[in-house]
Amino acid sequence: MRNVILAASIAGLLIGCGRVAESRLNPFTWFGGSSTASAVPASTAAPEADPRPVMDQISSLTIDRTPGGAILRATGVPPTQGYWEGALIPVETAEPGVLSYTFRAAPPPEPTRVSTQASREVVVGLFLSNQTLAGVSEINVAAARNGLAVRR
């Protein structure tokens, strides 16, 4: 009889763990997969402080939890090969709880081939501290033709 009660207790605990894995209490589920967001909200002209053009498209956006914060990783697809020095540039937003970034990269100094999408991809990352993420429910990254967002 004691074994049956012990087995039922363990089964109850395991079922409870399954619910926690999908709940908002689990830090690994704080930001889900990426979803479509708007393209660059303002003009695609580069500000004077950053002459790099806006990335043509974003193919993926992920956020990975780390001790002390998270790493936001975006993959962009420029029109040709050779783009370099990519970065996520913060954009001011009036929406509370939303962080917005524009994906920018420097073009190649000389004309280059188009080739395959995989050969053109530019991957950038940005560390966001727990203090930066406090109160944030959505992170948007915009490109010239599309944008992606991750939400809590």
Side-chain angles (χ1 to χ4, degrees), residues 71-149:
I71 297 174
L72 179 65
R73 183 177 45 206
T75 303
V77 182
T80 63
Q81 292 179 332
Y83 277 71
W84 58 289
E85 199 178 343
L88 297 175
I89 308 300
V91 176
E92 293 291 325
T93 178
E95 299 177 52
V98 176
L99 292 177
S100 294
Y101 296 92
T102 301
F103 194 151
R104 294 184 179 272
E110 300 174 358
T112 58
R113 302 177 344 147
V114 173
S115 196
T116 64
Q117 178 176 326
S119 70
R120 293 179 286 152
E121 289 182 341
V122 176
V123 180
V124 297
L126 178 66
F127 177 76
L128 302 170
S129 68
N130 282 334
Q131 291 79 15
T132 303
L133 292 173
V136 172
S137 60
E138 181 177 336
I139 300 173
N140 294 319
V141 177
R145 296 193 326 173
N146 73 336
L148 293 177

